[in-house]
Amino acid sequence: MMKHWILALALSAVLGQANATEAQVPVKVFRYAFPIAETGFDPAQISDTYSRTVTPHIFEALYGYDPLALPVKIRPLTAASLPEVSSDFKAWTIRIKPGIFFADDAAFKGKPRELVAEDYVYSLKRFADPKVKSPIWNSVEEIGLVGLAALRKQALAGKQAFDYERPIEGLRALDRYTLQLRLEQARPRLLETLAQNDLFGAVAREVVEAYGDEIMGHPVGTGPFVLKQWRRSSLIVLERNPAYREVLYEAEPGADDAEGQAILARLKGRRLPMVDRVEVSIIEESQPRWLSFLNKEHDLIDRVPAEFVGVALPQNRLAPNLAKQGMRLHRILNSDSSFTFFNMEDATVGGYTPEKVALRRALSLSLDIEREIRQVRRGQAVVAQSMVLPHTSGYDPRYKSEIGDFDPARARALLDLYGYVDRNGDGWRDMPDGSPLVIEVASQPDSLSRQYDELWQRNLRAVQIQVKFFHGKWPEQLKQARAGKLMLWFLGTTAAGPDGIGALQRMYGPQSGNQNLARFKNAEFDALYERMQVLPDGPEREALFLQAKRIQAAWMPMKTHVHRIVNDISQPELIGYRRPMLRNEFWQYIDIDRSPKH
């Protein structure tokens, strides 16, 4: 008995010491801020960048991107390998890795829930369900999954619940782990769509049905993190998913990529995720966001606010006082643009008659984009010549168009020629019919937006056009834009894949009210867009990109302002960060080291 007692005491001491050691291991927390509020976390119901930055850390698509490879490289995520594709690009067969499980949730009633092919069938069908009101349904419809659009039409026509049980040819689980997609037309680049991890991650039917209308706040996926806390428009907290499988850090940076090779050498083979918790604050005003970073409350400032570029990046280099603290600059020409869309259904700026086209082109020529870059963006952008984004197919840095011109004299001449003149002597131009010409610009109530408002005021005053501003929070403005209730709005977009056709959606007729906020409808443009979908990459497709750019410049449904140079700065504690290119997720690929050496 005495021996057993001594053995138990010794074992207790060992376990106690182990527990004490474990308790001393610090929780690794990554902290930063979004400048714009999220809308929610159901992949089928979101379209904004900030919600789409959260979702790929919770849900997993079939494919994703290598974290370091440039040019970007797609690799399997939950899929076991790259797809088996028919010679006509109409049949895609994908095998899913067994042994992947959803995070624990009450919806599963205490049982482990494995990811299966049917989950992707269900998840893709949800985009077609009219009740979900997916803002990207038109994009999913463009994939051309045989029978999916008909299933949606049946629900709309009969005003019945969407029939998830009805099998369709285009979307089938051949067995527990095999998914087959059949398409109406060739889609040579479907893999790029399937790699949009922020939208096409698998959701479980049990979870959707359990939470119903509250699903935006109850995301449950197979990814590296779970949502722990959400205070809408204030704080988002994610924690490591205890059920996440063993995934090790792997990457393929180029041999001449010194930064990428250094990151790989440090992190290769580490189990993901490397941080335990992610805390995202919503700080819309630039000054408090910048100060919170300087005070080390945040580990990363995602896009140094323009008004602080001068002190943070003199001559586009990290300021010596910041470098001395061990901070690092991450600077790229981003695959994005900022643009103003004109509502083509608006009584003032919309329409396709010569005088309406002349007004939009005159407004475009009146905008001093070089001043915008110099004064508001502090030099951190380049003038855009079309809607096609850098680092995507169709982008040509040598291309030049009227979209990039600032020419108030030509703007005034156009306005005079088409009857936009001052008829009552009040100093402001009127419409050709004599009614007042007033441009209503949608904006947001923050300090940065006010600087853009001042530019609009200055630019349009120079050509004698009155301007009024319609202010509202960004998510609310987005709702208004989709409903066609804004005359024009200035916002940004970022590439979701390497194919430039994604940007062309903003002028594709069937995307009206979704990606096509301008509600532009042009048969020639739609035909070339549809032709580009089925063509393989090559000179013929590049020529169609050029035609698309020229149509934009001729009709001017949207004025592209700039492509942004993005400057992120990280604290020395943040390890492995590299700004994602053509993807939104990175939290699982970073580490935090708060040891005294930092």
Side-chain angles (χ1 to χ4, degrees):
M1 287 293 290
M2 179 65 72
K3 288 182 179 179
H4 290 158
W5 182 81
I6 294 172
L7 181 61
L9 186 63
L11 180 60
S12 175
V14 169
L15 290 174
Q17 184 176 8
N19 290 335
T21 302
E22 184 177 342
Q24 291 171 5
V25 175
V27 174
K28 294 182 178 182
V29 182
F30 169 58
R31 309 155 304 173
Y32 79 129
F34 288 167
I36 293 175
E38 76 298 334
T39 56
F41 311 118
D42 176 14
Q45 295 188 67
I46 61 174
S47 65
D48 63 287
T49 296
Y50 299 97
S51 298
R52 290 174 64 172
T53 299
V54 177
T55 52
H57 298 96
I58 298 173
F59 302 96
E60 290 181 298
L62 293 157
Y63 300 95
Y65 287 94
D66 184 291
L68 296 177
L70 291 174
V72 296
K73 181 178 181 179
I74 294 174
R75 65 185 192 182
L77 190 53
T78 63
S81 60
L82 292 176
E84 299 169 16
V85 187
S86 63
S87 59
D88 62 1
F89 296 104
K90 290 185 179 181
W92 296 64
T93 304
I94 302 161
R95 305 190 190 283
I96 297 168
K97 298 173 187 173
I100 296 175
F101 289 87
F102 284 90
D104 295 337
D105 189 84
F108 301 133
K109 303 185 186 307
K111 299 178 181 179
R113 172 62 160 80
E114 188 180 20
L115 173 72
V116 295
E118 193 62 47
D119 292 316
Y120 285 104
V121 173
Y122 174 73
S123 300
L124 284 166
K125 281 184 175 179
R126 287 192 69 230
F127 291 98
D129 186 346
K131 183 180 178 182
V132 174
K133 298 179 181 178
S134 175
I136 68 157
W137 156 243
N138 285 11
S139 298
V140 176
E141 185 179 26
E142 283 183 18
I143 296 172
L145 294 163
V146 176
L148 186 59
L151 196 60
R152 175 182 171 87
K153 287 179 182 177
Q154 180 187 41
L156 288 168
K159 296 184 179 179
Q160 300 171 350
F162 185 84
D163 189 358
Y164 284 97
E165 304 298 336
R166 179 180 169 186
I168 59 173
E169 183 183 351
L171 194 53
R172 295 189 297 163
L174 300 184
D175 58 39
R176 185 172 178 83
Y177 302 113
T178 307
L179 175 71
Q180 187 175 78
L181 309 177
R182 289 192 175 274
L183 313 178
E184 295 168 351
Q185 298 186 68
R187 287 289 182 265
R189 287 159 295 277
L190 180 63
L191 182 61
E192 296 176 10
T193 300
L194 298 177
Q196 292 185 40
N197 194 25
D198 49 356
L199 294 175
F200 296 116
V203 300
R205 185 169 183 172
E206 303 96 304
V207 174
V208 175
E209 292 179 350
Y211 293 107
D213 293 340
E214 302 299 318
I215 190 61
M216 286 280 264
H218 294 277
V220 179
T222 63
F225 293 96
V226 295
L227 181 67
K228 190 69 175 179
Q229 183 181 359
W230 181 30
R231 296 203 303 267
R232 188 181 293 273
S233 303
S234 175
L235 178 68
I236 304 164
V237 178
L238 272 66
E239 289 187 354
R240 179 194 298 270
N241 175 8
Y244 193 54
R245 63 196 180 279
E246 183 179 67
V247 178
L248 306 182
Y249 189 102
E250 297 178 356
E252 297 182 30
D256 59 348
D257 179 359
E259 178 191 59
Q261 290 291 342
I263 294 173
L264 179 62
R266 182 159 189 176
L267 300 180
K268 182 177 174 61
R270 295 278 303 279
R271 186 167 182 170
L272 306 182
M274 291 176 275
V275 298
D276 302 297
R277 182 178 171 97
V278 178
E279 298 178 356
V280 183
S281 304
I282 314 302
I283 307 178
E284 295 179 341
E285 290 291 346
S286 299
Q287 185 179 46
R289 192 165 70 254
W290 172 242
L291 290 177
S292 68
F293 174 74
L294 291 182
N295 291 335
K296 295 187 177 296
E297 296 168 19
H298 292 151
D299 303 300
L300 172 74
I301 182 134
D302 179 347
R303 296 181 173 89
V304 174
E307 54 266 52
F308 300 107
V309 163
V311 296
L313 306 169
Q315 299 181 338
N316 295 325
R317 295 172 182 259
L318 188 64
N321 65 310
L322 302 182
K324 189 177 295 185
Q325 297 177 53
M327 295 182 186
R328 292 182 290 271
L329 171 65
H330 312 269
R331 177 179 171 84
I332 63 169
L333 174 63
N334 208 29
S335 186
D336 73 10
S337 72
S338 65
F339 64 92
T340 294
F341 74 82
F342 300 104
N343 183 351
M344 297 295 287
E345 296 176 1
D346 181 77
T348 300
V349 300
Y352 299 83
T353 55
E355 74 277 6
K356 298 295 188 179
V357 177
L359 176 58
R360 292 192 298 272
R361 290 177 69 168
L363 290 170
S364 173
L365 290 165
S366 300
L367 297 179
D368 188 348
I369 304 304
E370 291 284 4
R371 181 185 287 270
E372 175 186 320
I373 293 172
R374 190 171 58 252
Q375 290 190 352
V376 182
R377 299 184 182 277
R378 306 305 197 270
Q380 306 307 302
V382 298
V383 176
Q385 306 293 336
S386 80
M387 81 285 256
V388 182
L389 307 178
H391 313 295
T392 68
S393 55
Y395 179 77
D396 181 356
R398 299 165 297 180
Y399 175 74
K400 177 74 176 63
S401 77
E402 181 183 291
I403 288 174
D405 290 349
F406 168 58
D407 194 338
R410 196 171 4 144
R412 284 189 287 267
L414 266 175
L415 293 166
D416 291 343
L417 180 63
Y418 285 91
Y420 295 95
V421 297
D422 180 8
R423 298 178 183 277
N424 58 11
D426 65 354
W428 299 109
R429 293 180 184 271
D430 298 303
M431 297 284 285
D433 65 3
S435 60
L437 171 59
V438 181
I439 301 300
E440 296 180 358
V441 177
S443 185
Q444 291 78 245
D446 58 82
S447 59
L448 180 60
S449 296
R450 286 193 291 273
Q451 294 181 60
Y452 290 114
D453 294 350
E454 290 170 6
L455 281 179
W456 274 99
Q457 189 90 51
R458 179 190 183 102
N459 291 160
L460 296 194
R461 185 187 296 122
V463 294
Q464 297 174 273
I465 293 179
Q466 291 188 79
V467 60
K468 291 184 178 179
F469 297 96
F470 175 71
H471 291 97
K473 292 283 189 178
W474 197 93
E476 295 305 314
Q477 297 289 45
L478 181 59
K479 289 179 184 177
Q480 296 275 43
R482 286 190 182 137
K485 295 181 179 179
L486 301 182
M487 182 184 291
L488 57 89
W489 189 27
F490 172 65
L491 66 166
T493 186
T494 302
D499 187 7
I501 201 170
L504 270 57
Q505 284 186 336
R506 296 199 174 277
M507 288 174 50
Y508 180 51
Q511 282 282 352
S512 294
N514 292 294
Q515 295 300 309
N516 182 0
L517 295 175
R519 298 171 175 262
F520 179 65
K521 297 178 178 67
N522 179 278
E524 180 186 3
F525 186 91
D526 291 351
L528 71 85
Y529 179 91
E530 290 160 7
R531 177 66 178 151
M532 291 171 72
Q533 287 279 36
V534 302
L535 279 176
D537 293 332
E540 183 180 357
R541 195 165 187 264
E542 287 298 309
L544 295 182
F545 270 113
L546 180 58
Q547 289 185 43
K549 296 174 191 177
R550 289 172 174 167
I551 291 173
Q552 180 192 5
W555 292 96
M556 201 64 70
M558 56 185 288
K559 157 77 171 184
T560 318
H561 292 229
V562 302
H563 303 303
R564 293 169 285 195
I565 296 171
V566 173
N567 301 284
D568 302 335
I569 301 179
S570 61
Q571 300 283 3
E573 293 84 1
L574 180 57
I575 309 300
Y577 175 73
R578 181 183 232 175
R579 183 164 192 85
M581 183 70 75
L582 307 182
R583 60 188 170 89
N584 290 324
E585 81 273 20
F586 68 92
W587 300 343
Q588 68 267 44
Y589 299 123
I590 58 171
D591 193 11
I592 293 291
D593 184 355
R594 302 196 194 281
S595 58
K597 65 187 177 189
H598 289 297

